[in-house]
Amino acid sequence: MLFLLAACCFVTFFSYSTSPAYSGISDNPDSVIFQLIGKYWSEGYVPYQSLWDLKGPYIFLVNAVGYWLVGSRVGVYLLQIVSLTLTLFITYKTLRLSFGECRAMIWTLLALMPLSYVYEGGNLTEEYLLPFLTWSFYYIMRWLSEYERTGDARHRPWWCVTYGVTFALCLFSRLTNALSLSAAIAVIVVVLLVRKKHFANFLMNIACFFAGFLAVCLPFVIYFWSHGALSDMLNSTLTIPFLYALHASQNIFDTGIHHFLLSYLLSIVLLILAVVRVSGERRLTARTGLCLFSSLFPLLWFCQGNGYAHYGMTVFPLFAWVAVELRRHRQIFTVAFLVLTLAGFGSKVRYMGTIKTWENPSVASCRGFLSHVPQVDYTSFVAYNCDPHLYYALGVRPASRYFCLQDFVVSRAPLLRDPVVRSMEDDRVQWILLSYADMPLDQVVIRAVLKSEFVVTKADKALKLVLFRKKTDEYRQKPSF
């Protein structure tokens, strides 16, 4: 009950993209994209065919279930509370392997502080993986405890079902979310094969891992194959995110070293503690290997990625490992960790005070602009290079599957250029609101389509917005812009 109450308070306060305490129109475009795709999936539209994003279907499924249950984002909010409650309970179970009941409870509640900094408005892909990742690391810590106590390195095969399920869910959200888990599994495999040579146990674990993996994978594959969208789903889940990562350009220190440190604090601290342990023991034990590689692998990804704080959510299960390792070192390590954690929590609380009264300027300007054009048919409307919260504010379904931030997506995944252009030529698209705040009007990807197929209905140079309407026969010879 305590964990449920803590989760309810946390999600209500920090999930400003879904919580009833906030308007739902925020600075978090990812959450509203997931909500839009999930909402219309719950109404029978097929993701990737009707609405597209470069994520796996798991996050859309969660949002679809939320909207199916309640009919609004409140359903998603309730699922977030369930997810966090389970995460806290499993974290507590993990800490109980090393701590007494009271200390484990205190550390579990303290875990909410580093989580707050990387939560970033809530309803992101990493959030719904936390119960499964934490559950997997609970079994890994149990294996380690038994191995250190008895010397028996054999791993219980049915635990690997959980690893397989978790890995598949990571695959169908974003594969890099599984980096810590993959590193930990690799350490266990090395111990089983290289040091102890438990080949039969290893094969049983492999079989159970794939059983869990297929239990998640097959339903997704069958569903999208039966709806003729399997290729779209696989490209959006595997190929395009890889290209997106290759074209990542944001510097991890763009928002300051402190942001990098607080976002990936658990990985950094656990890595430091592992290095200190190795230097002291002069050898690499199973425990040190688990701490070292499960923190290092994701940290390497964070360093070359976009620097988004919510990536740090994937290493939240390492919190229990950090807590256990801290008690083996001088108190100065614990004090430093808690001070940094408290600093991140305090800065996020202050930020929530500003977001409470914040109004999304992009959405406000677009709505004001459109209010002077009452003849717009929103059943055939697309917002191009605009904040996706606009659809949420207007209560409309986009007429094109490439419905927001189009040029940004093409800049990261150039192979989408032609599909985006073709989608705007579709007869279902009759109105396009174009924002050219981030690039000159004559450099937008669909400029040729706009010139040949559309005519300007309204323009505002100050707002850098242009509303286009598809040409009718009598306007075919009229230039658009």
Side-chain angles (χ1 to χ4, degrees):
M1 184 59 71
L2 177 62
F3 295 141
L4 176 61
L5 178 61
C8 184
C9 293
F10 182 93
V11 175
T12 301
F13 185 72
F14 287 105
S15 184
Y16 54 79
S17 68
T18 59
S19 169
Y22 302 91
S23 68
I25 300 177
S26 66
D27 62 350
N28 181 355
D30 286 352
S31 177
V32 76
I33 290 172
F34 304 153
Q35 290 182 58
L36 286 168
I37 297 176
K39 169 181 167 60
Y40 291 107
W41 193 1
S42 72
E43 296 178 5
Y45 295 92
V46 180
Y48 308 108
Q49 283 186 340
S50 58
L51 296 176
W52 179 92
D53 189 43
L54 72 166
K55 298 291 189 299
Y58 176 52
I59 183 64
F60 308 143
L61 178 62
V62 173
N63 280 258
V65 172
Y67 271 86
W68 176 77
L69 286 172
V70 178
S72 70
R73 64 192 177 97
V74 174
V76 181
Y77 160 78
L78 295 176
L79 292 179
Q80 289 175 275
I81 293 175
V82 172
S83 175
L84 183 55
T85 301
L86 292 173
T87 300
L88 292 175
F89 175 73
I90 300 168
T91 300
Y92 169 75
K93 292 279 290 182
T94 306
L95 288 165
R96 285 286 284 127
L97 296 173
S98 303
F99 294 114
E101 182 176 348
C102 182
R103 182 173 291 187
M105 186 75 70
I106 292 172
W107 274 109
T108 301
L109 295 177
L110 285 174
L112 291 172
M113 291 201 298
L115 180 62
S116 68
Y117 195 85
V118 297
Y119 203 62
E120 292 204 308
N123 192 37
L124 300 173
T125 61
E126 298 82 1
E127 181 175 359
Y128 305 105
L129 295 171
L130 288 183
F132 300 95
L133 286 167
T134 309
W135 190 13
S136 296
F137 273 95
Y138 165 70
Y139 285 141
I140 291 170
M141 186 170 275
R142 279 191 61 181
W143 169 83
L144 178 63
S145 298
E146 294 177 4
Y147 172 54
E148 290 180 333
R149 186 177 67 254
T150 66
D152 186 356
R154 284 174 294 185
H155 186 279
R156 299 180 193 182
W158 63 272
W159 289 353
C160 277
V161 175
T162 303
Y163 305 162
V165 167
T166 304
F167 190 85
L169 291 175
C170 289
L171 175 67
F172 286 108
S173 56
R174 186 172 52 237
L175 187 56
T176 51
N177 291 335
L179 284 173
S180 282
L181 177 62
S182 300
I185 292 173
V187 172
I188 295 174
V189 168
V190 167
V191 173
L192 285 174
L193 287 182
V194 177
R195 298 188 62 181
K196 302 298 182 179
K197 300 181 180 179
H198 294 303
F199 297 110
N201 181 249
F202 171 73
L203 292 175
M204 284 292 296
N205 277 275
I206 289 291
C208 288
F209 177 90
F210 279 105
F213 179 83
L214 292 174
V216 172
C217 182
L218 288 179
F220 280 122
V221 170
I222 292 171
Y223 173 84
F224 286 102
W225 173 77
S226 65
H227 288 81
L230 180 59
S231 177
D232 288 332
M233 186 273 285
L234 292 177
N235 282 333
S236 301
T237 301
L238 302 175
T239 306
I240 296 175
F242 176 74
L243 296 174
Y244 181 91
L246 286 180
H247 289 85
S249 58
Q250 182 176 339
N251 189 302
I252 58 173
F253 299 124
D254 278 351
T255 51
I257 295 178
H258 71 284
H259 178 68
F260 174 80
L261 178 62
L262 293 174
S263 298
Y264 314 129
L265 180 63
L266 296 177
S267 283
I268 295 170
V269 171
L270 189 58
L271 178 61
I272 292 172
L273 295 176
V275 171
V276 170
R277 177 185 280 270
V278 169
S279 63
E281 295 178 345
R282 307 263 182 203
R283 63 191 183 97
L284 189 64
T285 62
R287 176 178 291 273
T288 307
L290 284 169
C291 294
L292 181 64
F293 294 110
S294 61
S295 59
L296 179 61
F297 276 32
L299 193 58
L300 291 174
W301 159 248
F302 299 152
C303 288
Q304 68 86 42
N306 288 295
Y308 298 131
H310 63 262
Y311 290 174
M313 243 191 292
T314 61
V315 295
F316 176 79
L318 299 181
F319 180 87
W321 291 82
V322 170
V324 171
E325 288 302 305
L326 282 173
R327 73 174 185 173
R328 300 170 181 267
H329 294 82
R330 296 178 181 177
Q331 288 187 345
I332 187 64
F333 285 96
T334 304
V335 171
F337 174 71
L338 292 177
V339 167
L340 288 171
T341 298
L342 185 60
F345 177 73
S347 68
K348 188 57 66 170
V349 169
R350 287 196 302 272
Y351 179 76
M352 298 308 296
T354 62
I355 205 72
K356 181 69 177 178
T357 56
W358 181 78
E359 183 179 12
N360 189 310
S362 174
V363 175
S365 60
C366 288
R367 293 184 69 180
F369 178 84
L370 291 170
S371 67
H372 298 291
V373 193
Q375 69 268 31
V376 174
D377 178 8
Y378 288 108
T379 63
S380 57
F381 173 81
V382 175
Y384 196 93
N385 289 348
C386 296
D387 191 311
H389 283 94
L390 180 61
Y391 298 107
Y392 180 88
L394 296 173
V396 300
R397 184 177 76 86
S400 169
R401 66 173 178 165
Y402 299 104
F403 60 98
C404 66
L405 308 174
Q406 293 86 349
D407 284 357
F408 172 79
V409 172
V410 170
S411 70
R412 298 297 182 89
L415 61 80
L416 289 176
R417 174 180 290 271
D418 289 342
V420 167
V421 171
R422 288 195 299 270
S423 72
M424 299 302 156
E425 296 173 331
D426 194 292
D427 288 339
R428 290 173 294 185
V429 179
Q430 296 292 318
W431 296 85
I432 297 178
L433 175 64
L434 171 69
S435 170
Y436 58 99
D438 296 325
M439 69 168 51
L441 185 58
D442 60 356
Q443 293 183 17
V444 297
V445 168
I446 60 167
R447 58 189 179 277
V449 175
L450 294 174
K451 287 182 178 180
S452 62
E453 299 293 329
F454 288 81
V455 62
V456 174
T457 299
K458 180 178 173 59
D460 190 316
K461 291 184 178 180
L463 297 176
K464 295 187 176 180
L465 294 173
V466 183
L467 180 65
F468 294 90
R469 182 176 185 176
K470 185 158 284 188
K471 292 179 180 178
T472 55
D473 290 339
E474 62 267 28
Y475 287 113
R476 284 291 168 185
Q477 303 303 317
K478 182 178 177 180
S480 58
F481 68 93

